[in-house]
Amino acid sequence: MPEGPSLVILKEQSARFVGQDIVRAGGNVRAVDPGRLVGQRIVGLHTWGKHFLIETPELILRIHFLLFGTYRIDERRDKEPRLSIETKDGGEMNFYACAVREIDRATFEAYDFSADVMSDSWDPKQARKKLRAQPELLACDALLDQDIFSGVGNIIKNEVLFRIRVHPLSTMGALPAPKLRALIDEARQYSFDFLGWKKAFVLKQNWLAHAKKICPRCDIPFKKANLGNTQRRAFYCERCQKLYA
């Protein structure tokens, strides 16, 4: 699943489409009629966590990349896109294996950018307040809660918990204040590290825990399990990642 930093890259790559008129739209999307986009001007492209938002004067589309979504700018894959948009300058955006839906203006304006770890509006105090209000919430679930850490995905979750030496089954209520602050701070810091590494095409080379077999600190096998309510894959060390429960 594309995580928040990947959507930031998409926004950067597609920035030139803002102000362009849409001359063709198609794809196998069913939730909306792509023909309604033709003649519309793109007035804004936005990201919120894992959502990519295409804004025109008459409608706003939300694209969610789910588990296997991808995109291409000014090129195509050898399969029909879920949504394809071509603009007057000849450029095109193609989206694959994603969910596309129209949202109303009120829904768009209700997006809480203070929860987006990549946003300038990110508010760590609000994150801490939300976490403290759920003392039984597991660390592995907390980091994947998009209402608290919008944009954080499974890779970031595993790497953050390894960085701060916290076991994924630790509870928010049991975490000491310094560890809670570290969890919040590293969720944002690692997201920007992720962004830099992905742009440099060295993201996987910098993974310390995700999809790894041996702990680089303890030189013992990582544990691998589907944990928490989310049942997402966790990679963790039982020696150096302390369980707070």
Side-chain angles (χ1 to χ4, degrees):
M1 176 190 292
E3 305 193 24
S6 299
L7 272 290
V8 171
I9 292 174
L10 167 57
K11 183 180 178 181
E12 293 174 351
Q13 291 178 341
S14 60
R16 68 180 179 82
F17 292 100
V18 176
Q20 290 287 327
D21 293 330
I22 298 172
V23 297
R24 182 192 61 80
N28 58 19
V29 60
R30 296 180 180 179
V32 297
D33 176 10
R36 294 174 57 208
L37 290 166
V38 177
Q40 291 286 309
R41 174 163 293 184
I42 298 174
V43 297
L45 296 171
H46 315 274
T47 61
W48 182 84
K50 301 172 185 179
H51 296 179
F52 185 64
L53 304 163
I54 301 174
E55 180 187 6
T56 76
E58 294 187 10
L59 72 160
I60 300 170
L61 292 185
R62 187 197 77 180
I63 298 173
H64 193 299
F65 287 91
L66 306 175
L67 287 176
F68 303 108
T70 59
Y71 68 89
R72 295 290 187 274
I73 303 297
D74 295 330
E75 61 179 4
R76 303 177 187 180
R77 295 180 59 185
D78 58 352
K79 61 185 295 186
E80 184 180 8
R82 179 78 73 237
L83 176 67
S84 178
I85 293 174
E86 184 178 342
T87 53
K88 192 173 182 179
D89 69 347
E92 59 183 291
M93 296 184 284
N94 295 295
F95 304 96
Y96 302 86
C98 56
V100 181
R101 58 170 291 192
E102 181 179 354
I103 61 172
D104 58 32
R105 182 66 57 176
T107 300
F108 172 67
E109 292 175 351
Y111 271 90
D112 180 10
F113 287 93
S114 71
D116 185 337
V117 294
M118 304 296 295
S119 172
D120 292 339
S121 300
W122 161 250
D123 187 347
K125 293 181 180 178
Q126 283 297 319
R128 184 163 61 251
K129 182 178 179 180
K130 293 173 184 175
L131 293 173
R132 283 303 191 201
Q134 302 179 71
E136 300 304 315
L137 184 64
L138 300 176
C140 58
D141 289 331
L143 282 164
L144 294 178
D145 189 328
Q146 298 302 292
D147 289 330
I148 305 173
F149 297 106
S150 175
V152 169
N154 209 44
I155 297 170
I156 296 174
K157 176 204 78 178
N158 286 320
E159 293 295 319
V160 165
L161 292 176
F162 183 73
R163 274 190 177 188
I164 67 173
R165 300 180 180 235
V166 168
H167 192 288
L169 293 179
S170 299
T171 63
M172 293 300 99
L175 274 187
K179 286 296 183 183
L180 185 67
R181 286 195 299 271
L183 183 143
I184 294 168
D185 291 344
E186 285 297 340
R188 179 169 169 86
Q189 180 58 55
Y190 192 88
S191 295
F192 280 95
D193 290 343
F194 184 121
L195 177 63
W197 291 328
K198 191 168 181 66
K199 285 182 174 181
F201 304 101
V202 294
L203 176 61
K204 288 186 178 181
Q205 292 93 306
N206 283 280
W207 289 350
L208 297 177
H210 185 75
K212 298 297 184 180
K213 295 182 178 180
I214 302 296
C215 173
R217 280 196 292 252
C218 303
D219 198 29
I220 62 174
F222 269 126
K223 292 291 183 179
K224 175 185 174 182
N226 296 330
L227 300 179
N229 290 328
T230 55
Q231 283 293 289
R232 299 296 302 281
R233 287 192 309 163
F235 300 86
Y236 59 98
C237 177
E238 289 193 312
R239 179 182 292 175
C240 64
Q241 290 179 249
K242 183 175 178 179
L243 177 62
Y244 297 90

